[in-house]
Amino acid sequence: MNNAQEREALVWGLVGVTLFAATLPMTRLAVGPTDAPQLSPWFVTFGRAAVAGLLSIAYLWLQHARGRLNLPQKAEWPLLAITAFGVIVGFPLFLALALRHVPSTHGAVVTALLPLSTALLGALWYRQRPSAGFWACAVLGSGLVLGFMVWRAGGIYLGAANIYLLIAMTTGAFGYIGGARLTPRLGAEQVICWVLVCSLPLTIPIAWWFAPAVPSAIGGMSWLGFIYVALFSMWIGFFAWYRALALGAVRVSQIQLIQPFLSLLFAVPLLGERLDTVTVVFALAVIATVFVGKKMPVHQGASA
């Protein structure tokens, strides 16, 4: 990857991460806490995919009218299925289930683990060979984020919520890399659109089943959270993120190390969380590891 491609990948990655960063507080707003539940986590998960899927039909039709539509090939359908399982069902569903029981600060642990998981899967899938220095920065950055989030949450939460977060992290990494493999031929925008459209036979019925019986009983902020995750977390954010991963999955994945802190910044006005000095110090330390890791070599495999 030359310098121009690296800069492009980092810019697209930063755009994607910024859009994704608001996913946790917005999801928390949508589902509400246990003592004041709002939308069902199942409705939020499948409803947001259904909305984005309907928008994707219009987008793909427009590309067809312009003669730019790329149809998935037979060999690409398994990758589409893996991507759909990760980004349509696995990550958003288990994240929403966890955020019904734990605060968004604790839920941000999953976004702290995603960079290392994505880097590992990206290196194996693309047959890249990150240097020891790169892995040291990735591990150090992830350790800093995890340590901060555990301290911020006042300890590890035991029970189902942690299991949900672990599943969300694992499936999300698979979805990211699966989509990145499809992007070079289909294009970043069409990858997520095809995934969403192909998932409509599943997402629409489930969203309908779990839709609130009385929509007016749901608070306005909860609907705002749902609209955000449908438009930006589920659709537009992937336009940027898959484009970035296709240009350099291993290196770009480190940008996600700053996502938990961006989530905290968004959570201040949305959820009333307080941003203190310790948070700023940890954020600067993590950003430093991203900067150093960006300078470390990543060797291309022979068959990448």
Side-chain angles (χ1 to χ4, degrees), residues 34 146 175 227:
T34 305
L146 285 172
I227 292 171

Side-chain angles (χ1 to χ4, degrees), residues 67-85:
R68 301 175 183 174
L69 183 65
N70 298 318
L71 294 173
Q73 298 177 351
K74 182 178 180 181
E76 292 171 332
W77 285 105
L79 276 177
L80 283 171
I82 291 174
T83 305
F85 177 73

Side-chain angles (χ1 to χ4, degrees), residues 164-179:
Y164 293 152
L165 290 173
L166 181 61
I167 296 174
M169 179 272 298
T170 305
T171 54
F174 271 105
Y176 285 166
I177 297 302

Side-chain angles (χ1 to χ4, degrees), residues 28 125 221 224 234 244 286 294:
R28 175 75 169 180
W125 217 326
M221 291 301 293
L224 177 64
M234 192 75 269
V286 171
K294 176 178 168 302

